[in-house]
Amino acid sequence: MKAVLPDDLRDIFSKAGYLSSWYQYFKAGDWLVLLLGCALVVFSYTLLWRGGVADRAIVKRDGKTVIEISLNSARKISVDGPLGTTVIEVQPGRARVFSDPGPRQYCVQQGWLTRAGAVAICAPNHITLQLNGSGEAGYDSLNY
Amino acid sequence: MTPLTIELPITEDDRRIARYTAAAIALTVAEAALPSPLPGIKPGLANIIVLVVLLRYGWRDAAWVSLLRVVAGSLVIGQLFAPGFFLALAGAVSSLAALFIAVQLPRRWFGAVTISLCAAFAHIGGQLVLARLWLVPHDGVFYLVPLFATAALIFGTINGLIAAHLIKRAHAG
């Protein structure tokens, strides 16, 4: 080992320090920088993953908006597509595809959508359900 | 015909840089074997070596070790000139820029942890800029920023602590 490794690296393999002694390596400014780093991380979460507050559900057929409703009250909407009727259920703060005539039922199995930018696509019936937030258009979950 | 002999003088600096670079490459290879929850989230163990070199021998040596490590390390793991190589290079260049500034901070108040954190955040910053400009020309990459920032915070701190520990032991022994 001695010939291969620089001498100050050798001991990382031979000795593990006590966990409690690590704090001695923090200098006053390090805590400040660590705090700033934590703030930066929290800020990035709130800025980029805020998505959360969805307030509108948009139902489209063939890319054209059929109905746009706010997520304030509970109701069901029926939209007709080439295969039959897709039923969208809206409740305060969330929406889902309640039923769909499509063969694989992907959009139904997706369940409740709560985040702004979330989309359920019932491709066979040409219908999409999308949630939007109040601010700028959220990130598109499909392109993540 | 006269025999032509080219002799490259090897200085003590070269040997030292080569030894540290070898250690950094070994860590790169070891790390490539670790599973990662998301491509790009790695502990960056080789950066511990760069930090130690920076604090003991200065920025010039650290830059040599860091850049040699990227080139030789990706050669070893078969990534040379693959997208991952350019991402690693972008990360290394931007963190070297951050190290250049961070190492000027008063050492009395700011230790290895500060320097490591600066480098870690600069590293993901540089990678994200390159990824956004070249690999994923879509704002969707920024969706991953919180994850990368979290990784930078955790691994930056840990790597800084390990570097501080190594330097202290080197001075003690």
Side-chain angles (χ1 to χ4, degrees), chain B residues 66-81:
Chain B
S66 172
L67 296 174
L68 283 172
R69 192 281 298 183
V70 170
V71 175
S74 49
L75 192 65
V76 172
I77 60 175
Q79 282 259 339
L80 192 61
F81 302 131

Side-chain angles (χ1 to χ4, degrees), chain A residues 86 96-100 104-111 113 120-124 127:
Chain A
T86 298
R96 68 171 169 174
V97 179
F98 180 76
S99 67
D100 179 71
R104 284 174 294 274
Q105 300 285 304
Y106 287 140
C107 58
V108 179
Q109 282 164 20
Q110 222 173 320
L113 307 180
I121 301 172
C122 302
I127 287 170

Side-chain angles (χ1 to χ4, degrees), chain B:
Chain B
M1 256 174 73
T2 47
L4 181 66
T5 324
I6 299 174
E7 200 163 319
L8 295 172
I10 301 165
T11 63
E12 198 44 48
D13 281 10
D14 296 337
R15 290 209 173 86
R16 188 178 63 236
I17 288 170
R19 269 195 317 195
Y20 278 105
T21 305
I25 293 168
L27 287 175
T28 303
V29 174
E31 193 173 78
L34 291 176
S36 165
L38 188 74
I41 293 199
K42 287 191 283 186
L45 297 174
N47 297 321
I48 297 169
I49 310 289
V50 177
L51 280 173
V52 169
V53 173
L54 177 79
L55 291 168
R56 293 195 72 186
Y57 304 105
W59 186 81
R60 187 189 141 270
D61 280 23
W64 271 115
V65 170
S66 172
L67 296 174
L68 283 172
R69 192 281 298 183
V70 170
V71 175
S74 49
L75 192 65
V76 172
I77 60 175
Q79 282 259 339
L80 192 61
F81 302 131
F85 165 77
F86 291 105
L87 286 175
L89 193 63
V93 169
S94 50
S95 60
L96 281 172
L99 288 177
F100 186 77
I101 298 164
V103 83
Q104 325 265 346
L105 290 168
R107 200 63 59 80
R108 193 171 134 76
W109 301 105
F110 298 98
V113 175
T114 294
I115 296 173
S116 177
L117 280 170
C118 291
F121 278 105
H123 197 275
I124 57 158
Q127 292 195 322
L128 278 166
V129 168
L130 181 71
R132 173 63 183 83
L133 292 177
W134 178 46
L135 292 174
V136 192
H138 182 274
D139 283 337
V141 282
F142 295 121
Y143 194 73
L144 295 174
V145 166
L147 292 179
F148 287 139
T150 308
L153 182 71
I154 295 168
F155 295 128
T157 307
I158 293 173
N159 289 353
L161 287 173
I162 296 173
H165 182 69
L166 289 173
I167 286 165
K168 188 190 166 214
R169 295 199 78 96
H171 285 305

Side-chain angles (χ1 to χ4, degrees), chain A residues 66 76-80 85-88:
Chain A
V66 175
K76 279 185 185 170
I77 313 139
S78 299
V79 183
D80 291 323
T85 304
T86 298
V87 180
I88 310 283

